[in-house]
Amino acid sequence: MSENQTKYTAKDFKSDQEVRWCPGCGDHAILNAIQRALPELHYDRERYAFISGIGCSSRFPYYMNTYGFHSIHGRASAIASGTKSANPNLSVWQITGDGDAMAIGGNHFIHAIRRNIDINIILFNNEIYGLTKGQYSPCSKFGSVTKTSPYGTIEHPFRPGELIIGAQGKFFARSYDGNIKLSSDIFVAAAKHDGTSVVEVLQNCVIYNDKTHEEVLGKENRDDRIIILEHGKKMIFGKDGNKGLALDGLKLKVVTIGEEGYTEDDILTHDAEEMNPGLHMMLVNMQYPEYPVAFGIIRRVKAATYDDQMVEQIAAVQATAKIKCVDDLLNSGATWDVE
Amino acid sequence: MSENQTKYTAKDFKSDQEVRWCPGCGDHAILNAIQRALPELHYDRERYAFISGIGCSSRFPYYMNTYGFHSIHGRASAIASGTKSANPNLSVWQITGDGDAMAIGGNHFIHAIRRNIDINIILFNNEIYGLTKGQYSPCSKFGSVTKTSPYGTIEHPFRPGELIIGAQGKFFARSYDGNIKLSSDIFVAAAKHDGTSVVEVLQNCVIYNDKTHEEVLGKENRDDRIIILEHGKKMIFGKDGNKGLALDGLKLKVVTIGEEGYTEDDILTHDAEEMNPGLHMMLVNMQYPEYPVAFGIIRRVKAATYDDQMVEQIAAVQATAKIKCVDDLLNSGATWDVE
Amino acid sequence: MNKKANAVQLDEVTIRFSGDSGDGMQLTGTLFSNASALFGNDLSTFPDYPAEIRAPQGTVGGVSGFQVKFGHKEVNTPGDYCNILVAMNPAALKANVQWVKNGGTIIFDSNSFEPKNIARAGFKTEDPIKELGIEDFNIIPAPISNLTKEAVVGLGMDNKSILRCKNMFALGIVCYVFNRPLSFTEEYLENKFKKKPDVITANKLVLNAGYNYAETLEALTPTYEVAPAEIKKGKYRNMSGNQATAWGLLAASEKANLPMFIGSYPITPATEVLQELAKRKDLGVKSFQAEDEIAGICTSIGAAFAGNFAVTSTSGPGLALKSEALGLAVMTELPLVIVNVQRGGPSTGLPTKTEQSDLNQALYGRNGESPIPVIAASTPSDCFDYAFAAGKIAVEHMTPIILLTDGFLANGSEPWRIPSMSDYPEIKAPIVKEGTKDWMPYARDEEKMARTWAFPGTPGLEHRIGGLEKDKLKGSVSHDPINHEEMTAIRDEKVKRIANHIPDLEVVGPKEADLLVVGWGGTKGHLHTAVNELLEDGKSVALAHFNYINPLQKNVAEVFARYKKIVVCEINLGQFANYLRMNLQQFQYLQYNKVQGLPFTVIELKDHFNKLLEE
Amino acid sequence: MNKKANAVQLDEVTIRFSGDSGDGMQLTGTLFSNASALFGNDLSTFPDYPAEIRAPQGTVGGVSGFQVKFGHKEVNTPGDYCNILVAMNPAALKANVQWVKNGGTIIFDSNSFEPKNIARAGFKTEDPIKELGIEDFNIIPAPISNLTKEAVVGLGMDNKSILRCKNMFALGIVCYVFNRPLSFTEEYLENKFKKKPDVITANKLVLNAGYNYAETLEALTPTYEVAPAEIKKGKYRNMSGNQATAWGLLAASEKANLPMFIGSYPITPATEVLQELAKRKDLGVKSFQAEDEIAGICTSIGAAFAGNFAVTSTSGPGLALKSEALGLAVMTELPLVIVNVQRGGPSTGLPTKTEQSDLNQALYGRNGESPIPVIAASTPSDCFDYAFAAGKIAVEHMTPIILLTDGFLANGSEPWRIPSMSDYPEIKAPIVKEGTKDWMPYARDEEKMARTWAFPGTPGLEHRIGGLEKDKLKGSVSHDPINHEEMTAIRDEKVKRIANHIPDLEVVGPKEADLLVVGWGGTKGHLHTAVNELLEDGKSVALAHFNYINPLQKNVAEVFARYKKIVVCEINLGQFANYLRMNLQQFQYLQYNKVQGLPFTVIELKDHFNKLLEE
Ligand SMILES: Cc1ncc(C[n+]2csc(CCOP(=O)(O)OP(=O)(O)O)c2C)c(N)n1
Ligand SMILES: Cc1ncc(C[n+]2csc(CCOP(=O)(O)OP(=O)(O)O)c2C)c(N)n1
Ligand code: SF4
Ligand code: SF4
Ligand SMILES: [Mg+2]
Ligand SMILES: [Mg+2]
């Protein structure tokens, strides 16, 4: 895509619509993060299209002063795929919730990812259906008590990153609502990546699933329970910056530098661009308390995108085609004259 | 499930319906393999329910002298989940094609797997839509020329095993139509496994995608291009039984025993029961020519099943419940008398 | 509680409680309604939630309301306009003033009427009362916030917790005005907050403070009394439409002696049906929250195949998604109840509002000739009976059936006399027994034309079903042209024959009259009230309200023939009217339609009927 | 090619080619048809595929047929019954004998009539001719297999390849009988097998062998001649319904000057629409094979949002799945053409057979008040025109529109005079230009009531659309009751106004008559032929065939009023008849319905109409 001069501030992306999320909802922060990210991207404002399904999170497009489409539940990936194919010159963003993307929208979601169509999917994961007032989602923790699971769920939750990689995901990153800087940096990277990029943002629903991420993201302990990965950098974390991830056979292991003989050299260096998904899979699957939860860009690998190839294939065929218009077509092949 | 005396032969599972697949279609062999497997299982015949979607492969239930349901395109996983939940005492099998399971049926497929409901899914993968006469499927190789891709597809195919593991798959095995013994053994193991088991069977469609698996499965070279994994056994393959898989950092490597200093000790031992999916993911992703393609039971790990837990949860609640019938319910909670 | 001497006797009263979403107005309304029910009034309630997303505090978009009408006669609607509005903030006043009867009473929290809140609510001046032109209403400003704070002084509560008790102050006021004992509410608080004695204390203090405040307040005297209604003796409970639907299905499952399975996906305003059933593990319910609506119905079809009493619940957009699978249920002739709680459409439409516009979809929304019976409930509590009826038809006639309710019924509630299950008929499932000789899956009984049901697991009955056309006896796939024509006719006739098993259409009012009002489903309360009032005025009018839609009852033509004019009233553009036109072409149908996401008002109905009578 | 002296002149002839799925009967039929077209006959063809799965060789289930009727007058149907049946094996004879005219000619491969094959076909005796009771037909056994082998002796071909040429032998025979030059077929073979000269040689040899064999065969003399039809001068090509649909859409996209996007999922019998468009990368078509039908329509909606000419194609079960998203297209008022190629229902039904039973679904299969225009094509080649018309309406009226065709049209074909695109009207998309001041997304033009279309990428027109109810001007979300009622009325009226932009209903036959035959969609050829024949017999009958269904044309009532009786003929249980009842209640409608997965026959139509005329 062609790029222009920076000319926007976050404010330019605010629409005139009153923001209607609950006070304290994590969605507000994510909205801020996107509005902060876009000015970094140098696209003209009219080239953005924000497309969502249904859910609290999916109200998002109304709050963006860009083109927007608040569609129907679960179908945003398909609609966004159509929009991007129809006009590859647009910067297309899908906004979706854990229910919207992974319950009813699961099929379109994995197929968009498989096709590697160049859209940016921001997945607001609050592990609950917010808009319908608190039923469990496919991401709710095992045993969650919700309105439809009064005795606790009996379902194993999806781990979004794992499913995405299983669906041939080429770009996966994780952030959380509270970290606007991290989110906004990741959104910029996601937009710059060619192909489907999925960013899971852990988001707090104050009303129906308050503090679901607290164990990991609570301010107290956060530094010891999360790791923010950066491509090319050592996998180091912790309040004191002395913990790290090392390899133990085929598994990952948390070690403390300077203890049990571990030095910084033993710590793995993050390679987001490795094609083989093995290690990335382990990283997305890390769960507290055994591991810190991984944030940042976990996987970012290059591959042909659907929209580019569509354009190229059409151009290649047209370059040598005999049929240039419908009249040509109608008169092509077997015809005969009646006189 | 309770077990009975063996009392059946393959013939007992043949229905009176004329088998209507093309002569030479790989489906015939898979039918044979299932009819050979069932007598090993000791269930009474009436406890089997075969449930399919739509596709050539999905005609399968008609040919089985068991309960059967030839449903609608893509929905077999959901229907089978309902049948199993309604009567956990049944042995429920889903028969599906690559289009049925992974195109239109993708969402139900990954959710059944995630829930780990105890059904056996046999996925006939011919990398094409057979019944509709030859359009590409989500599993068709990149660049495939088909009726809907006259200039070659521009889509990255799913690798079923990878998607299944990404969806929290607990049992995944791979076989091919030509190997009735292998298929039948795997079907028996799949049935014995508690939880969703998915068996991908590489199947040849002689009419619309002939020889799509030939490069790997062609008789000539097959032995050097596939590896049949067995739990607890070394990962050895090749015509001469001297090739094997070893670890190279975080990656797999094909080595020849006795060459470059490799001995049998360097060869990995297959552990299908390892919970961490990292290595299993690498195994399902092995592609010729870099690697041999893996067959056999690649992953088989234990986890709570949806149907068991549903039964247990109901039993636990009922054990102490005050409400035993609808009259109790109607009279429970806040009521008042009008006199 | 001392009965006040100067209490004014009223026939019926409508109160609307309104405030911010967080103000607890639904609870306040419910508690007041329950107290009134306990007192012996008949009543009807309806909550008016804000649209899906909680708007910022203090804005009109975030206002939540709850209306209750109670009376000493039969009460069939929650009332068009209210006599009393309780408004907890300026936004609540603004949003609801249109629903107050001319000259009605407005009690509001005067502490919240300060400039910031007034501006937030979108008033242009600082005097909302004047701006709204309601100076001559009975305006009662009450310093609710401040008095609430005072009431709990010394308990050491933080401000937020204190303000959460405001609603109890309002409730206290209203209880005083209508002479309702506080005991019921106090009991409720004690049960609800068992583990938080502080909360109990605080709430009780505030409740009583409100009561006492009202007593000392001149503006409120005289107090009112709505005498108990003369309602049938018995044990009562409050029932909302969704709860009644869920329970009616449970009743059918019990009477059919089949385990219950519900496969469903949450959607407003149908979600509570799933939620109610998910609670009922005690009754063995298998509730399956599916990944989407398609899986909702497909798991249910799978469960029906396995021999369970199978149900799926949804609202309009979800029913659309179920269309394809509905056809499979038609073709496989499996029993299945589809509950559709209608909301405003098309598309996502107005999800929290009521409408009757899914009738066409229920009747025709499938490929091919795909007949499905359709019935509709008409009051919150009769959802129980029609859910039961749907279950009975499904199982006995071996067919999917669609039960239509709507947002108005679903969320509305009314007192319900608890029946005994022994009053309900058995449901006889045509299950094939083990050992049945020469059984054929698609052979059917002569009368109902229902096929029989063989459960997987039964030895000797192994068979295969599916979505392809079936041989009319063996059920195997058949491409035979004549067989297809016969099966098409059979499926059609099977649904038509249900008419032999349902009660006749009954009419409210005279057997012959100038005007027959026709309605169906959730409009019954309003139509009934309007027609009753016209009858009291001596007008020549009657009401034929439909619960059975496909097939129509057998006596409909005979009923219609007795009236000079027929007007079909619906919350849509005339879907039932058109359905009548094609089924009973011999009559002329006038239409009265409203598509505002709201129920009819009795007033507008009466006006319209009067006009028709004069023409 | 020498014109034979003793050739008998015929007005029209119907031939049916039949054999195993692998016998190449579709190709044989197509080549013969093309040769006839080239010769100047008018014609109509229809393939009769076996049901979805290839049955084992030699069984009745595996028989594939191709029927062509050609004549020197206008030919509107592929013929009810055939004059000549070509049967390549016993199963083909068995499956098709019911379609041979009494006393007709049956040419069969006598070599294939050996015991094994006879048994496979399900004959009980060894003499199929006798068993079928057709001894007095004109039975012509020809040793096709053996003579084919002889013809290529010495070419060193394997048996399988040789037998693949059998169909050319049969073609040769028929070409001789009807005096068709072989040159056309030879040219075809040369083109098709350019890279396989051996195959060309073999096929040509066999073709000529068949021709020569027929010449020497007494039973076939005299030969027949069907003189060229007097058809309009011009350049012609053969068109099947699905191809015509795809190309008509391309034409609309070109005339609208918008790039074309199709999001679709394969389904019988609609798949070729997608396939045809997937080929057209030369014309810039973006074809998106989606993961399911929902994604098919949703990608198209996304493309329409982005400013493409968007299309989605499917058949009944797929349309059911698109129901919910159709509502979104209605609400967002985006242009979108939905092609639905009807097949036998309900559910999977009879996927390879034709039916007209998706009309209800097209009209009503959505939640809420969700009006969508519906039009239907009526011949294989006029699919082009109605696809074009659908595109024009969609874009100019800013609406989704459903185009109905059916399996009979989709697979049938007929010669088509190639038009020039300059004969087609421009399509004017109401696109908003950059710089438009004070633009509002839901403001609309007075006449059509279409809103305007702002493409993402245009500076200054940033806006948001969606499935929630819209403010009638700004397009933002609105929960206002009155706005909802107005928008409901606007959406309804917008579709009704299309009636101002479509041609009037035309009648075939007299302006007034005893009987008006009414049909719609794919039955036109048969109805037309039947009515024409009755008119020739001097009967008082006329035909009103509908292509525009919603809205109806403005003159329909006026037309209907001129006839004594109206009979509505449909391949369903009466969906259009019911639609007419509710729209034009003042008329009485008789019905004539058939639901066998087959088109009407002209004979049964005439019989029925004659009966009605006599009553
Ligand atoms: C077809 C359909 N089914 C169901 C719904 C009801 N519904 C709306 S949003 C939602 C789930 C929302 O959860 P999520 O996507 O996680 O978003 P959140 O509200 O948590 O941000 C559901 C079930 C709907 N609108 N449409
Ligand atoms: C709702 C719906 N959409 C589309 C179809 C058409 N259809 C039938 S089978 C099929 C794909 C079959 O492919 P696969 O599942 O791989 O089975 P195979 O025939 O290859 O065994 C399609 C697209 C259908 N029957 N129903
Ligand atoms: S309900 Fe939860 S997710 Fe929705 S706006 Fe409120 S806090 Fe946010
Ligand atoms: S079309 Fe292909 S998959 Fe289908 S029956 Fe024939 S060979 Fe098998
Ligand atoms: Mg959520
Ligand atoms: Mg396939």
Side-chain angles (χ1 to χ4, degrees), chain C residues 119-182:
Chain C
R120 264 218 188 133
F123 285 106
K124 278 163 205 126
T125 66
E126 296 215 337
D127 186 347
I129 306 295
K130 209 168 144 197
E131 192 176 330
L132 294 169
I134 49 169
E135 299 99 320
D136 55 347
F137 282 42
N138 184 20
I139 305 290
I140 305 178
I144 296 180
S145 299
N146 289 355
L147 293 181
T148 298
K149 283 180 203 160
E150 267 176 39
V152 296
V153 153
L155 291 188
M157 290 167 71
D158 64 277
N159 208 33
K160 213 171 152 191
S161 309
I162 293 174
L163 287 180
R164 252 196 232 126
C165 303
K166 270 194 314 194
N167 58 336
M168 288 298 131
F169 196 94
L171 182 57
I173 298 180
V174 180
C175 282
Y176 174 81
V177 176
F178 292 98
N179 238 319
R180 297 282 174 257
L182 298 184

Side-chain angles (χ1 to χ4, degrees), chain D residues 269-306:
Chain D
T271 310
E272 293 82 14
V273 176
L274 170 62
Q275 288 175 181
E276 278 302 321
L277 289 171
K279 284 186 204 157
R280 295 277 71 86
K281 300 249 179 291
D282 44 15
L283 295 179
V285 173
K286 293 163 214 160
S287 72
F288 190 107
Q289 182 177 309
E291 53 274 21
D292 62 13
E293 283 85 353
I294 299 177
I297 186 170
C298 285
T299 50
S300 298
I301 290 174
F305 173 58

Side-chain angles (χ1 to χ4, degrees), chain D residues 193-492:
Chain D
F193 297 108
K194 248 186 214 136
K195 288 174 193 154
K196 299 181 184 165
D198 296 359
V199 176
I200 301 177
T201 316
N203 274 299
K204 276 195 190 171
L205 279 173
V206 176
L207 180 70
N208 281 281
Y211 194 92
N212 297 334
Y213 168 77
E215 198 164 8
T216 61
L217 194 71
E218 207 162 328
L220 283 168
T221 52
T223 62
Y224 298 95
E225 227 175 73
V226 179
E230 281 176 28
I231 43 179
K232 222 174 153 185
K233 275 185 193 171
K235 195 166 176 184
Y236 280 74
R237 65 177 306 129
N238 214 25
M239 273 293 237
S240 75
N242 274 344
Q243 182 171 6
T245 302
W247 290 15
L249 292 168
L250 281 169
S253 147
E254 183 173 289
K255 282 287 176 180
N257 202 12
L258 294 170
M260 168 130 178
F261 178 96
I262 176 165
S264 183
Y265 186 72
I267 184 167
T268 306
T271 310
E272 293 82 14
V273 176
L274 170 62
Q275 288 175 181
E276 278 302 321
L277 289 171
K279 284 186 204 157
R280 295 277 71 86
K281 300 249 179 291
D282 44 15
L283 295 179
V285 173
K286 293 163 214 160
S287 72
F288 190 107
Q289 182 177 309
E291 53 274 21
D292 62 13
E293 283 85 353
I294 299 177
I297 186 170
C298 285
T299 50
S300 298
I301 290 174
F305 173 58
N308 278 17
F309 180 83
V311 173
T312 186
S313 55
T314 193
S315 184
L319 186 60
L321 288 167
K322 292 179 200 287
S323 307
E324 192 208 5
L326 280 172
L328 181 64
V330 168
M331 194 62 121
T332 52
E333 305 191 33
L334 286 169
L336 174 64
V337 179
I338 301 99
V339 177
N340 185 54
V341 185
Q342 299 167 96
R343 64 187 218 184
S347 194
T348 313
L350 292 174
T352 59
K353 304 292 172 189
T354 197
E355 206 158 288
Q356 296 189 296
S357 54
D358 290 347
L359 178 60
N360 273 342
Q361 175 173 232
L363 289 166
Y364 310 115
R366 291 166 294 283
N367 58 302
E369 289 292 349
S370 185
I372 291 188
V374 177
I375 71 176
S378 46
T379 72
S381 69
D382 81 11
C383 286
F384 184 91
D385 290 329
Y386 290 100
F388 184 88
K392 185 164 160 62
I393 293 171
V395 168
E396 296 190 341
H397 297 259
M398 290 292 285
T399 179
I401 182 170
I402 295 176
L403 169 66
L404 293 175
T405 73
D406 60 42
F408 175 71
L409 297 182
N411 295 321
S413 73
E414 60 186 0
W416 181 59
R417 194 166 158 274
I418 300 171
S420 160
M421 283 315 296
S422 61
D423 301 339
Y424 283 78
E426 286 311 308
I427 296 180
K428 294 188 204 73
I431 302 166
V432 199
K433 295 223 179 58
E434 186 177 336
T436 304
K437 286 269 167 300
D438 300 325
W439 173 72
M440 285 191 292
Y442 272 65
R444 44 194 84 236
D445 80 297
E446 296 238 322
E447 209 280 293
K448 296 200 180 74
M449 304 188 75
R451 75 177 189 97
T452 51
W453 195 5
F455 295 177
T458 318
L461 301 180
E462 290 85 353
H463 68 288
R464 274 87 26 209
I465 58 173
L468 286 164
E469 183 59 287
K470 309 254 132 317
D471 178 86
K472 70 178 170 182
L473 291 172
K474 289 177 285 177
S476 50
V477 176
S478 165
H479 289 91
D480 181 68
I482 299 302
N483 179 75
H484 178 49
E485 190 153 72
E486 287 176 352
M487 283 301 289
T488 304
I490 284 171
R491 286 185 289 262
D492 196 57

Side-chain angles (χ1 to χ4, degrees), chain A residues 240-312:
Chain A
D240 310 320
N242 62 347
K243 292 188 184 171
L245 293 172
L247 215 53
D248 176 21
L250 260 176
K251 290 191 187 174
L252 293 172
K253 187 180 172 177
V254 177
V255 302
T256 306
I257 300 170
E259 283 180 19
E260 295 175 62
Y262 283 102
T263 69
E264 214 179 300
D265 289 349
D266 297 311
I267 306 299
L268 290 168
T269 298
H270 180 46
D271 182 2
E273 297 177 0
E274 164 62 50
M275 190 45 104
N276 185 316
L279 182 55
H280 296 160
M281 195 78 164
M282 293 182 208
L283 291 170
V284 300
N285 277 346
M286 290 193 306
Q287 281 183 297
Y288 180 80
E290 197 183 348
Y291 295 108
V293 175
F295 288 81
I297 298 167
I298 296 174
R299 180 170 172 80
R300 177 180 58 199
V301 301
K302 290 214 173 86
T305 71
Y306 185 91
D307 38 309
D308 279 352
Q309 292 174 89
M310 185 177 245
V311 170
E312 281 162 23

Side-chain angles (χ1 to χ4, degrees), chain B residues 136-191:
Chain B
Y136 65 95
S137 94
C139 295
S140 297
K141 295 184 176 69
F142 193 95
S144 299
V145 171
T146 70
K147 284 199 186 142
T148 42
S149 57
Y151 301 100
T153 63
I154 56 174
E155 306 193 9
H156 306 275
F158 279 136
R159 297 177 191 137
E162 186 182 28
L163 182 65
I164 289 156
I165 291 178
Q168 306 261 314
K170 306 286 187 281
F171 183 109
F172 176 72
R174 195 185 279 136
S175 187
Y176 58 98
D177 49 10
N179 197 334
I180 295 186
K181 170 82 174 71
L182 177 66
S183 298
S184 145
D185 288 350
I186 290 177
F187 296 152
V188 169

